Amino acid sequence: MENSEKKKPKLKMAVYWGAACGGCCVSVLDVHEKLFDITELADLVFWPIALDVKYDDVRAMPNGYIDVTLFNGAIRNSENQYMAMLLREKSKILVAYGSCAHLGGIPGLANFTNRDGIFERVYDTSESTVNPEKTRPQLKTQVPEGELHLPYFFDDVLALDQVVCVDYYVPGCPPQTERLVEVFMAIATGATLPSKKTVLGAWDKTQCDECIRTKTDKKTIKEFRRPYEIEDDGETCFLEQGVICMGPATRGGCGYRCIKGNAPCKGCYGPSPDISDPGAKMISSIGTMIDSNDPVEISEIVDQVADPAGTFYRFSLPGSIIRRKIL
Amino acid sequence: MEEPRIGVYVCWCGTNIEKVVDVAEVAKAMEKLPNVVLSKNYKYMCSDPGQDLIIKDIKENNLNRIVVSACSPRIHELTFRKTLEKAGLNPYLLQMANIREHVSWVHDDKKAATDKAKSLVAAAVTRVNHHEELQKRTVDINPATLIIGGGIAGLTAALEIADAGKKVFLLEKTNHLGGVVAGIDQSFPYFDSAQQIIQQFIKRIKQHENVEVLLNTKAENITGYVGNFKMPLPMLGIDAELEFGNIIVATGLKPYDPSAIREYGYGYLPNVITSLEFEKMLMSGKIETKDGKTPEDILIIHCVGSRNKNCHEYCSRTCCMTALKFATQLRSALPKANIYQAYADMRSFGKDCEELYLKASQKDIMFLMYDQQKYLPEIRRAPNREKCEMLVEIEEILSGDMVEVPADLVILMTAMEAHEDVKDVARTVGVSLCGNDFFIERHPKLDPVATTTDGVFIAGTCQAPKDIPDSVAQAKAAAARVLSSIDVGQVEIEVTTAFTNEDLCCGCQTCISVCPYKAIGFNEENRVSVVNEILCKGCGTCSSACPTGAIRTRHFTDKQIMSQIEGMLSMTKRKSKKTELEV
Ligand SMILES: Cc1cc2nc3c(=O)[nH]c(=O)nc-3n(C[C@H](O)[C@H](O)[C@H](O)COP(=O)(O)OP(=O)(O)OC[C@H]3O[C@@H](n4cnc5c(N)ncnc54)[C@H](O)[C@@H]3O)c2cc1C
Ligand code: SF4
Ligand code: SF4
Ligand code: SF4
């Protein structure tokens, strides 16, 4: 393997998951044969989905040993938090990778309830549960082999930058693989990186800019409908057909893949720069489209929005100003 | 952007603020905030020494942001902006915190009021960090003027402006000029002929080379802005339109319909008539009942539809004097008749008006006072029509007696109220109406004929009920304002306008449909929305509707507003629940 040419030392790279579904790690695998280009330039030193490297091995690394860590998943328990802090210490560049690390993502919707609420549902009331003793997971459990530990489950789900400093964000649920390759190549080839704290792998302009559906200024809504309730002509802007599309408030970069598949944008690429509460932004925008001046009719129209919290804050609740429901 | 260097000034407003707010403590608390270089309190910030203090500090300490915590910015924001300009700073690098109207005038607990003042001033300090320099802009004034309403106010203003050599378009929705005055006989308090006055006006207007009268025309679809308004005239062709630089609204008022008041039987008692119907009778020269008989007993009822929560709570202002005018005219026409006046309060203020009351009271007229909130006079048909037409039951409150008055003719002094279409006029000229649907002046005392929309003035009774002299005075004042603006030739226009960041705009066009001033257009080539900053009034509607944050309103950016909220909250010590992360 030794090459006579003097080569740049290979980058050391890590991929880790917090509260995540695993999709982000799979999206890294999705680079397919490009993985060889990546491994040409980088050594993967820690990646639980693919490599058998233990926490102790990470602890043993000197600070700043890893060049780039892609951290996906939100922070939902003490283990996620510990690993975020550990990897921050060990990494030169820490990237919040994917919607959950970026703004809290789908797990962040748990901020509409809390630990007790979740435990009650999961361990008592869910349809498939029989638990008359009301057993709950314990932080410590004695077994013959010794003491077992479980992480502490927080009331709040947090975005990565709410527990450690983050250098860059790559949004998406999961991020579009091409974008990952572009970002990785930029880092690996030493291209000048944008200033810290910026979002990489996504555009500043939102989905509508790329979206080829026809749109006008006639966004007047008399009735909110769900996608299955309309006969989509495949051509008219979803909003103009009364279907909530998060496209206007969501960065481009995904290749408007949902809309191309005739499904409205769900918002996983997060808001455009400087927007501190994407849900609120979209709500005030949609509010202007409701075609009525009668308060009663307006509230009837608004009531037609199925699951407003999940619609407007599907990927962004912890990272928004409202952060959680006050219980 | 250079590092902000902020000066904070907490005003005492004499004792107005100081007696409730600990101004020294507020000023001291601000010293700790980031970028605050100095923080002072002073007795009268708006006084010359107060302003000089700011100027001196700016120069000596290189201040580049100023917070004045005093009265409402509606009163003194302009004053302090000028102060900044004098010191060589851009006037928009100022932020005011209102600790008088919002604090000292509405609270008495000194501790709580001081805390609230701290929060408001801290909000201003955190906000001013994000202020940006804004540049003033001017546009040319089109010297033509649109006057809406051809009553005495509109006619007066039109003549005043036309005589000064400037073009006037006079719009009147009916088929004749003159308004209410065209329907009155003589005018109080001097009994001069109203007809003579108004007909002379109308004649001059019709002959005036600078006046174009448009009858049967309503003000509709006006677009544009001070100096450059437009109104289409579809009846004269598709492209026909008027262009003018200023607008005077003089749409007047209309009489209240008294059929809603059951007690008066207006509409089915034939000899119950309104004041304007009586004016018509006076003009015809024949005072008689429906059957052609000369009335022997005549009752005039005041405050019909005015000063009562079931109709209008305001006083219509001219009816008492008109009633005295009627009584006097009746006395000379019918020396033998019995004349009664049922009044609630006699309001005869104004030059020579109390004198008219005195004279009328010496003319053998019976004044009966009724309680207009409790028992209205009740009119019914007389059982024996030989003696009189009607009987009116009145609880006379000075004597405490229930009296029954015979009447062949009853004159209702009806209230004056807004026209049904006043909201359309208000919308098209962009001026707000008060709860009574009268046009709102920019300042009730200091700027009574201007409105909050630049280039739009109001005159006459559309602003509130008033008599002819006051209507004429207002009309002349409005004309003077218009002429001075034409004379200057240019006006400063709003600088706090919206603009789009084309790198962010996604072309969704949400903003276009919400702009109340139609100021946003779509650039098809770049697929972005573009604001016409001359049309934009800076209302901010688009900025809150834009889902991307691409359109921002200068001086009201999200960053400025959010930092203001953060500053406000930073002063309140929250009992923070220890989060689990800190365990
Ligand atoms: C019975 C009676 C007697 C009075 N007697 C006296 C008196 O003796 N002495 C005295 O000083 N005052 C008297 N007044 C008060 C006097 O009539 C008013 O002060 C005066 O009419 C106010 O004039 P104006 O031009 O403001 O309004 P108006 O006279 O009401 O004229 C307004 C004009 O605007 C027009 N207009 C309305 N809407 C529109 C629109 N949308 N587009 C175009 N045109 C429109 C109307 O048709 C009207 O011609 C009396 C009032 C009444 C009711
Ligand atoms: S709202 Fe959705 S469908 Fe409409 S233009 Fe934007 S991305 Fe396309
Ligand atoms: S609402 Fe915002 S993003 Fe949409 S067209 Fe207007 S400026 Fe552009
Ligand atoms: S701020 Fe926006 S909505 Fe308001 S006038 Fe200006 S462009 Fe129109």
Side-chain angles (χ1 to χ4, degrees):
Chain A
M1 284 283 273
E2 278 300 300
N3 205 320
S4 52
E5 278 171 49
K6 214 177 132 217
K7 266 183 107 181
K8 255 178 82 181
K10 276 176 123 185
L11 281 181
K12 295 186 191 66
M13 186 172 153
V15 183
Y16 184 74
W17 48 14
C21 65
C24 281
C25 282
V26 174
S27 82
V28 179
L29 285 174
D30 261 354
V31 298
H32 302 298
E33 65 284 355
K34 281 260 186 333
L35 192 59
F36 297 113
D37 296 347
I38 290 178
T39 49
E40 181 84 355
L41 296 166
D43 279 331
L44 278 152
V45 295
F46 179 51
W47 187 8
I49 198 175
L51 306 169
D52 186 15
V53 179
K54 304 293 188 211
Y55 288 180
D56 270 342
D57 302 324
V58 181
R59 277 190 278 266
M61 296 172 187
N63 286 355
Y65 174 79
I66 308 170
D67 290 294
V68 187
T69 293
L70 304 182
F71 191 107
N72 65 80
I75 307 298
R76 124 73 66 233
N77 63 33
S78 56
E79 184 194 28
N80 304 149
Q81 186 194 15
Y82 171 76
M83 286 307 291
M85 289 171 161
L86 183 66
L87 286 165
R88 171 70 279 182
E89 212 171 80
K90 305 294 176 193
S91 318
K92 292 200 184 81
I93 295 177
L94 178 66
V95 179
Y97 183 81
S99 304
C100 303
H102 179 206
L103 292 169
I106 296 280
L109 288 172
N111 284 359
F112 283 112
T113 169
N114 58 11
R115 184 176 126 111
D116 287 346
I118 293 169
F119 280 12
E120 189 185 298
R121 175 76 185 136
V122 173
Y123 297 108
D124 295 336
T125 62
S126 80
E127 289 67 13
S128 58
T129 302
V130 182
N131 182 9
E133 292 88 39
K134 301 216 178 290
T135 306
R136 287 284 188 273
Q138 299 301 307
L139 290 181
K140 291 182 191 141
T141 312
Q142 289 298 333
V143 290
E145 293 80 3
E147 195 177 64
L148 290 181
H149 293 244
L150 277 181
Y152 185 84
F153 189 99
F154 298 146
D155 266 335
D156 286 329
V157 174
L158 299 152
L160 184 60
D161 66 2
Q162 290 170 323
V163 296
V164 291
C165 286
V166 168
D167 299 307
Y168 297 108
Y169 303 85
V170 177
C173 181
Q176 184 82 330
T177 308
E178 287 95 298
R179 297 289 97 72
L180 166 62
V181 174
E182 284 161 20
V183 171
F184 176 80
M185 286 303 175
I187 295 174
T189 56
T192 38
L193 288 172
S195 58
K196 289 279 168 86
K197 303 270 174 216
T198 45
V199 169
L200 304 177
W203 323 141
D204 282 352
K205 290 220 185 202
T206 58
Q207 299 292 332
C208 311
D209 184 49
E210 284 180 285
C211 174
I212 51 165
R213 287 187 174 235
T214 45
K215 44 201 165 282
T216 63
D217 58 5
K218 310 260 160 339
K219 290 186 173 51
T220 45
I221 297 178
K222 265 272 179 239
E223 195 186 347
F224 283 110
R225 289 180 290 182
R226 307 191 67 180
Y228 72 86
E229 291 169 326
I230 59 163
E231 257 181 63
D232 180 19
D233 57 14
E235 280 168 10
T236 311
C237 162
F238 280 114
L239 280 168
E240 290 172 32
Q241 301 186 66
V243 172
I244 295 178
C245 176
M246 286 292 284
T250 306
R251 280 176 191 266
C254 62
Y256 69 109
R257 50 194 174 182
C258 294
I259 302 159
K260 258 197 245 163
N262 291 329
C265 168
K266 305 282 181 296
C268 74
Y269 259 57
S272 38
D274 292 341
I275 300 294
S276 41
D277 195 309
K281 220 42 205 148
M282 194 61 194
I283 289 168
S284 63
S285 185
I286 292 242
T288 65
M289 298 174 196
I290 293 173
D291 185 17
S292 170
N293 286 322
D294 168 25
V296 177
E297 191 187 10
I298 291 173
S299 72
E300 279 165 13
I301 296 175
V302 168
D303 284 345
Q304 293 164 355
V305 179
D307 183 20
T311 303
F312 298 113
Y313 288 99
R314 183 176 278 131
F315 298 96
S316 64
L317 185 61
S320 294
I321 297 176
I322 67 166
R323 216 167 51 81
R324 68 151 24 266
K325 178 174 174 185
I326 297 184
L327 295 166
Chain B
M1 196 177 73
E2 52 180 345
E3 262 314 283
R5 292 178 58 79
I6 305 171
V8 181
Y9 298 87
V10 184
C11 184
W12 303 22
C13 195
T15 56
N16 264 303
I17 294 172
E18 184 269 345
K19 70 173 185 286
V20 186
V21 173
D22 186 336
V23 283
E25 192 185 318
V26 175
K28 186 139 185 46
M30 297 307 120
E31 284 171 359
K32 297 188 202 79
L33 297 179
N35 301 329
V36 172
V37 175
L38 54 86
S39 180
K40 298 184 173 174
N41 64 87
Y42 187 74
K43 200 154 186 175
Y44 287 108
M45 283 315 303
C46 60
S47 67
D48 285 345
Q51 295 187 55
D52 290 344
L53 175 69
I54 300 179
I55 297 174
K56 188 164 149 274
D57 285 347
I58 291 176
K59 295 195 170 144
E60 287 176 2
N61 297 282
N62 280 327
L63 302 180
N64 56 19
R65 298 279 190 291
I66 298 295
V67 169
V68 179
S69 134
C71 51
S72 163
R74 293 190 70 149
I75 299 170
H76 274 314
E77 189 164 57
L78 275 180
T79 313
F80 293 113
R81 280 189 182 160
K82 290 204 178 109
T83 312
L84 266 69
E85 269 183 309
K86 275 190 217 152
L89 274 189
N90 185 284
Y92 291 90
L93 299 173
L94 165 82
Q95 176 68 18
M96 284 189 76
N98 182 354
I99 59 166
R100 192 179 74 178
E101 285 83 342
H102 287 180
V103 183
S104 69
W105 280 0
V106 287
H107 299 299
D108 47 24
D109 175 342
K110 193 156 184 173
K111 166 90 182 55
T114 303
D115 285 346
K116 181 172 168 187
K118 282 187 205 165
S119 296
L120 290 172
V121 186
V125 172
T126 45
R127 183 189 213 275
V128 86
N129 272 289
H130 301 284
H131 278 205
E132 292 160 2
E133 295 191 358
L134 301 177
Q135 302 311 327
K136 284 193 178 157
R137 296 174 308 144
T138 54
V139 291
D140 289 342
I141 302 266
N142 178 328
T145 304
L146 178 79
I147 296 181
I148 310 171
I152 188 117
L155 292 169
T156 305
L159 282 176
E160 199 76 6
I161 295 169
D163 284 347
K166 308 294 176 205
K167 178 93 201 157
V168 172
F169 301 108
L170 181 61
L171 246 57
E172 168 55 51
K173 74 170 169 187
T174 66
N175 61 2
H176 63 276
L177 294 172
V180 174
V181 179
I184 63 186
D185 180 38
Q186 294 180 342
S187 75
F188 66 76
Y190 305 119
F191 298 93
D192 39 354
S193 161
Q195 285 314 300
Q196 237 169 40
I197 304 175
I198 202 81
Q199 294 310 333
Q200 255 172 28
F201 268 52
I202 296 174
K203 200 168 149 202
R204 278 200 61 210
I205 284 281
K206 285 188 175 156
Q207 290 169 352
H208 210 298
E209 55 174 5
N210 289 331
V211 183
E212 195 171 318
V213 177
L214 294 135
L215 294 177
N216 304 309
T217 310
K218 279 195 180 189
E220 268 167 346
N221 299 320
I222 296 178
T223 54
Y225 49 90
V226 54
N228 296 276
F229 292 105
K230 277 186 189 151
M231 187 183 118
L233 284 176
M235 61 283 188
L236 299 184
I238 346 174
D239 290 332
E241 59 179 13
L242 298 177
E243 291 187 0
F244 42 93
N246 287 287
I247 301 174
I248 297 177
V249 181
T251 49
L253 296 175
K254 70 167 177 52
Y256 169 81
D257 176 1
S259 22
I261 306 177
R262 179 194 57 82
E263 287 86 342
Y264 297 156
Y266 179 78
Y268 66 88
L269 291 174
N271 289 307
V272 175
I273 62 171
T274 67
S275 44
L276 267 173
E277 287 164 346
F278 184 63
E279 292 279 4
K280 215 168 166 184
M281 216 181 249
L282 285 168
M283 283 200 275
S284 74
K286 263 188 266 160
I287 300 172
E288 54 186 26
T289 64
K290 280 275 139 57
D291 311 333
K293 284 191 285 191
T294 302
E296 284 169 26
D297 297 285
I298 303 158
L299 170 69
I300 303 170
I301 304 179
H302 289 227
C303 292
V304 177
S306 303
R307 307 178 60 227
N308 184 306
K309 60 182 183 313
N310 296 326
C311 318
H312 295 302
E313 289 195 76
Y314 58 82
C315 163
S316 296
R317 240 184 102 163
T318 52
C319 350
C320 281
M321 293 315 300
T322 305
L324 292 172
K325 172 179 84 175
F326 288 168
T328 311
Q329 285 173 293
L330 277 166
R331 179 49 77 229
S332 13
L334 307 170
K336 295 220 174 63
N338 299 313
I339 303 170
Y340 306 90
Q341 286 216 28
Y343 70 103
D345 290 292
M346 187 64 77
R347 302 198 163 176
S348 54
F349 59 90
K351 199 172 178 181
D352 286 329
C353 289
E354 185 66 17
E355 289 83 341
L356 173 62
Y357 179 21
L358 193 71
K359 274 188 227 148
S361 64
Q362 291 160 350
K363 291 191 188 252
D364 191 20
I365 291 159
M366 174 83 92
F367 287 90
L368 303 162
M369 190 176 188
Y370 72 97
D371 183 340
Q372 200 249 2
Q373 304 303 327
K374 278 200 196 133
Y375 300 106
L376 296 184
E378 188 147 355
I379 311 176
R380 57 191 155 80
R381 267 180 232 276
N384 180 357
R385 301 273 300 282
E386 305 290 286
K387 281 203 74 186
C388 63
E389 285 284 315
M390 297 163 282
L391 288 173
V392 187
E393 200 175 80
I394 303 175
E395 186 173 302
E396 211 289 322
I397 54 178
L398 293 179
S399 63
D401 292 339
M402 197 60 119
V403 294
E404 199 170 60
V405 176
D408 300 320
L409 185 67
V410 176
I411 305 166
L412 302 178
M413 302 308 300
T414 48
M416 293 304 283
E417 64 179 15
H419 289 278
E420 287 95 356
D421 64 354
V422 68
K423 289 205 169 68
D424 302 334
V425 181
R427 197 172 316 113
T428 195
V429 298
V431 175
S432 312
L433 299 173
C434 73
N436 296 320
D437 285 347
F438 303 147
F439 284 85
I440 301 180
E441 58 279 35
R442 177 172 285 191
H443 190 289
K445 298 189 181 74
L446 305 177
D447 213 352
V449 297
T451 66
T452 47
T453 301
D454 296 331
V456 181
F457 301 90
I458 49 179
T461 48
C462 67
Q463 181 263 348
K466 57 176 67 69
D467 59 10
I468 296 172
D470 283 0
S471 301
V472 168
Q474 266 196 339
K476 297 212 169 196
R481 292 294 300 270
V482 168
L483 287 172
S484 76
S485 111
I486 297 172
D487 192 41
V488 173
Q490 287 193 322
V491 270
E492 271 180 21
I493 52 167
E494 196 53 75
V495 294
T496 58
T497 48
F499 65 101
T500 33
N501 176 346
E502 299 193 0
D503 294 336
L504 290 183
C505 173
C506 69
C508 68
Q509 302 169 47
T510 310
C511 52
I512 295 179
S513 57
V514 301
C515 174
Y517 303 98
K518 305 183 200 79
I520 312 175
F522 195 61
N523 176 333
E524 288 290 345
E525 197 180 326
N526 301 340
R527 315 272 326 138
V528 291
S529 289
V530 185
V531 179
N532 177 338
E533 290 191 36
I534 291 180
L535 295 182
C536 170
K537 296 257 185 285
C539 69
T541 311
C542 56
S543 314
S544 62
C546 170
T548 67
I551 204 163
R552 301 197 312 162
T553 316
R554 294 191 169 86
H555 217 53
F556 294 93
T557 63
D558 281 4
K559 204 182 242 153
Q560 288 164 344
I561 295 170
M562 294 310 287
S563 66
Q564 198 169 8
I565 297 172
E566 275 164 27
M568 176 119 39
L569 299 178
S570 70
M571 285 282 134
T572 34
K573 278 178 219 80
R574 197 167 28 136
K575 267 182 251 132
S576 75
K577 212 175 76 189
K578 220 174 177 197
T579 70
E580 290 155 46
L581 297 179
E582 293 161 340
V583 191

